[in-house]
Amino acid sequence: MVKSPCPSLRTDSPRRQLVGFGQAVSANCRVEQPGSLAELTEVLARARAEGLSVTFRGAGRSYGDAALNSRGLVVDTTALRRVLSWEPATGLLTAEVGLTIGDLWRETISDGYWPTVVPGTMHATLGGCVAMNVHGKNNYRVGPFGDHVEQIKLLTASGELLDCSRQNRPELFRAVVGGLGLLGAVVQVTLRLSRVHSGRLKVVTAAACNLEQTLATFESLAENNNYAVGWLDAFSRGKSLGRGELHAARYLQPQEEPSPASSLSLEGQSLPTRLFGLPTSKLSPVLRTLASAPGMPWINATKYWLARRADGNSYLQSHAAFAFLLDYVPDWNQAYGAGGLIQYQFFVPSQHAHECMKRVLETCQQAGEVANLAVLKKHRADDYLLSHSVNGWSLALDFPLRADNRERLWALSQQLTELVVAAGGRFYLAKDTLLRPIDLERAYGTECLTQFRNLKRQLDPSGLFSSDLFERLMP
């Protein structure tokens, strides 16, 4: 056992009320925040001695209960955020797990490097990105975050520190990436970044009048661009069902960027400070008003018709502004009010995507619970053990949660899950709040889950690593 240099660490620390990013689920948890590998090792040893389970929590950007632990200890990793090495000649960066995506690109952008895969927020940590194997708007082209991780260091339940990569312990590597933080503590990540010649992207806007056209237009845009993302008006019906707006973006070539140094500066990556004529810092209360049931159909319709007017237009936008739309408005997740939001994100193979998404949108409308926001992405399959991805599409649906619709939303989720499972689909557990163990088994398969459980028993026989999500889905 490593003696802790910080005597204040104790597993009986005061409890804190932690909340999932969607604000819909919470737990009263003991929390520790180690500042070094030695302190983390000591915390895990004390938790093991006291029979406490451990959950890791970075920036807390998981929408549901993946970073909550009602019965044990939550280890806050945000103090472990050092960049250990950065090699502009190779594009390799090694850092501790608490480093955020924002910390990362600020370290590398002036050297002409950008993270190949980023989620919709720059506030996610490297540890969270590995645990959830996050995907971006370019998953169909470059795969998930894990495809660009060269090596991880894993601290096991026994205190052993293991190097894992595709060449060294490949089976363990493919299980830890996307393994929800349940196999050990990832303490260090080596990541390969992408070379960019400009801090800006060429972005094009397109509009589509129904779901069939949305998917076809997306396919066409994806062929010639590095990124593509879609938004659907979930309130549209009949012949307009699935209409929406699409954005695609490509990297600029050296000859297309007249001022690379300026575009690759930190100032060149700043996010907008005003939207719709208002300071972004003041928008959260406005969004809370608009997020009411009468406001959202109007907002979605207006957004669609504005997209029709902009159809075919192109413009230049910074990497950060294109990638991190969720960060434009501080605390946007609180705009849904006291109940918060439930995000339901599913992945479905291409051959069943149109029919499945059509039925999902219609089922929501029939239930009277329409998603305020519906985001479409294109994906490719990968070989990680608990992979959520398929050769196909994903749709992320944001539902406001209120006291008067809670039971309806839970019932609706079961209807939607039946549609997704029947289509051979899967779910993104970083966003999940609603799945049941039987749903997980049907979507991922008994063989896959058995293999994961067996590996967990080998690495963690006493069940040191757990979470509320694990207790709910893999009891």
Side-chain angles (χ1 to χ4, degrees):
M1 181 184 296
V2 178
K3 185 176 181 181
S4 172
C6 181
S8 64
L9 287 174
R10 61 193 188 280
T11 52
D12 60 345
S13 56
R15 290 181 174 270
R16 284 170 46 195
Q17 193 71 17
L18 299 179
V19 184
F21 187 69
Q23 307 289 298
V25 292
S26 63
N28 192 259
C29 309
R30 299 179 183 184
V31 181
E32 288 284 7
Q33 189 185 53
S36 67
L37 176 58
E39 290 184 10
L40 174 59
T41 303
E42 172 67 7
V43 169
L44 297 185
R46 292 185 181 185
R48 185 171 60 247
E50 295 184 29
L52 292 174
S53 64
V54 171
T55 297
F56 300 104
R57 183 181 179 91
R61 294 284 156 159
S62 289
Y63 282 60
D65 53 3
L68 303 178
N69 191 354
S70 305
R71 301 181 182 179
L73 178 69
V74 171
V75 173
D76 180 337
T77 64
T78 54
L80 301 168
R81 59 189 307 161
R82 293 180 301 157
V83 174
L84 302 174
S85 68
W86 163 233
E87 303 172 7
T90 63
L92 288 176
L93 178 139
T94 299
E96 294 178 324
V97 291
L99 190 81
T100 68
I101 294 294
D103 295 331
L104 191 158
W105 69 253
R106 290 186 181 98
E107 178 78 19
T108 65
I109 189 67
S110 63
D111 291 318
Y113 283 90
W114 183 259
T116 307
V117 174
V118 297
T121 172
M122 70 175 80
H123 300 300
T125 62
L126 292 188
C129 290
V130 169
M132 301 303 172
N133 202 11
V134 299
H135 55 270
K137 302 175 182 69
N138 55 355
N139 184 268
Y140 65 94
R141 186 176 290 276
V142 301
F145 190 84
D147 279 7
H148 308 279
V149 173
E150 293 290 314
Q151 181 174 281
I152 56 178
K153 286 189 181 293
L154 183 75
L155 182 63
T156 68
S158 65
E160 187 178 5
L161 194 61
L162 303 178
D163 289 329
C164 303
S165 68
R166 288 176 188 79
Q167 295 73 40
N168 186 21
R169 302 184 178 92
E171 181 184 5
L172 181 56
F173 178 84
R174 288 193 295 269
V176 171
V177 175
L180 312 175
L182 296 171
L183 299 178
V186 175
V187 297
Q188 193 178 112
V189 180
T190 298
L191 190 67
R192 185 174 297 279
L193 279 66
S194 289
R195 185 77 170 92
V196 293
H197 302 288
S198 170
R200 300 187 292 179
L201 299 162
K202 182 71 171 291
V203 184
V204 63
T205 298
C209 63
N210 56 42
L211 182 59
E212 183 176 10
Q213 189 181 71
T214 296
L215 295 175
T217 304
F218 197 122
E219 288 272 22
S220 177
L221 290 171
E223 286 182 12
N224 302 309
N225 288 278
N226 299 98
Y227 301 92
V229 64
W231 156 86
L232 306 186
D233 174 6
F235 293 89
S236 59
R237 298 171 179 266
K239 294 181 179 180
S240 297
L241 184 80
R243 70 183 183 183
E245 178 182 22
L246 305 171
H247 288 100
R250 66 170 177 83
Y251 297 126
L252 295 184
Q253 297 304 308
Q255 64 273 17
E256 296 180 283
E257 177 52 80
S259 54
S262 175
S263 73
L264 290 168
S265 67
L266 293 182
E267 293 76 14
Q269 298 300 313
S270 58
L271 298 182
T273 57
R274 299 183 73 86
L275 288 174
F276 312 114
L278 296 172
T280 53
S281 60
K282 305 293 185 184
L283 276 177
S284 189
V286 176
L287 290 176
R288 183 173 300 183
T289 301
L290 293 175
S292 63
M296 289 313 300
W298 178 83
I299 289 176
N300 276 262
T302 301
K303 184 172 171 61
Y304 170 71
W305 288 108
L306 289 174
R308 287 284 299 269
R309 292 182 61 182
D311 189 27
N313 290 353
S314 63
Y315 54 92
L316 296 179
Q317 190 174 31
S318 73
H319 290 277
F322 180 80
F324 305 126
L325 184 64
L326 293 181
D327 297 332
Y328 281 27
V329 181
D331 302 321
W332 70 267
N333 57 323
Q334 297 180 21
Y336 283 83
L341 71 109
I342 296 291
Q343 185 172 111
Y344 184 91
Q345 185 172 15
F346 64 92
F347 297 70
V348 63
S350 292
Q351 64 269 32
H352 303 303
H354 180 272
E355 180 62 22
C356 181
M357 289 184 185
K358 175 178 178 289
R359 295 187 65 188
V360 163
L361 293 171
E362 290 173 339
T363 300
C364 292
Q365 292 173 358
Q366 292 163 5
E369 296 294 338
V370 179
N372 282 6
L373 180 68
V375 177
L376 178 72
K377 295 193 188 85
K378 182 173 169 59
H379 299 269
R380 73 185 194 192
D382 55 61
D383 64 351
Y384 300 96
L385 182 55
L386 289 186
S387 175
H388 51 268
S389 198
V390 297
N391 287 320
W393 303 82
S394 73
L395 190 61
L397 305 172
D398 284 7
F399 298 99
L401 181 63
R402 307 178 304 273
D404 66 346
N405 77 340
R406 186 180 183 89
E407 290 187 9
R408 288 199 305 275
L409 266 185
W410 258 252
L412 172 62
S413 76
Q414 294 308 311
Q415 291 180 271
L416 301 185
T417 296
E418 290 300 320
L419 295 174
V420 173
V421 170
R426 292 190 170 192
F427 306 92
Y428 192 31
L429 301 184
K431 306 285 185 71
D432 179 56
T433 309
L434 303 169
L435 290 179
R436 305 167 302 174
I438 185 62
D439 302 325
L440 185 72
E441 186 145 359
R442 292 164 64 205
Y444 283 71
T446 302
E447 182 179 351
C448 165
L449 296 180
T450 298
Q451 188 177 345
F452 183 81
R453 288 187 177 101
N454 289 341
L455 184 57
K456 179 166 173 57
R457 275 193 289 268
Q458 294 171 24
L459 286 168
D460 183 18
S462 63
L464 176 64
F465 303 115
S466 186
S467 67
D468 284 1
L469 180 143
F470 181 68
E471 294 294 329
R472 172 168 59 88
L473 288 180
M474 303 182 197

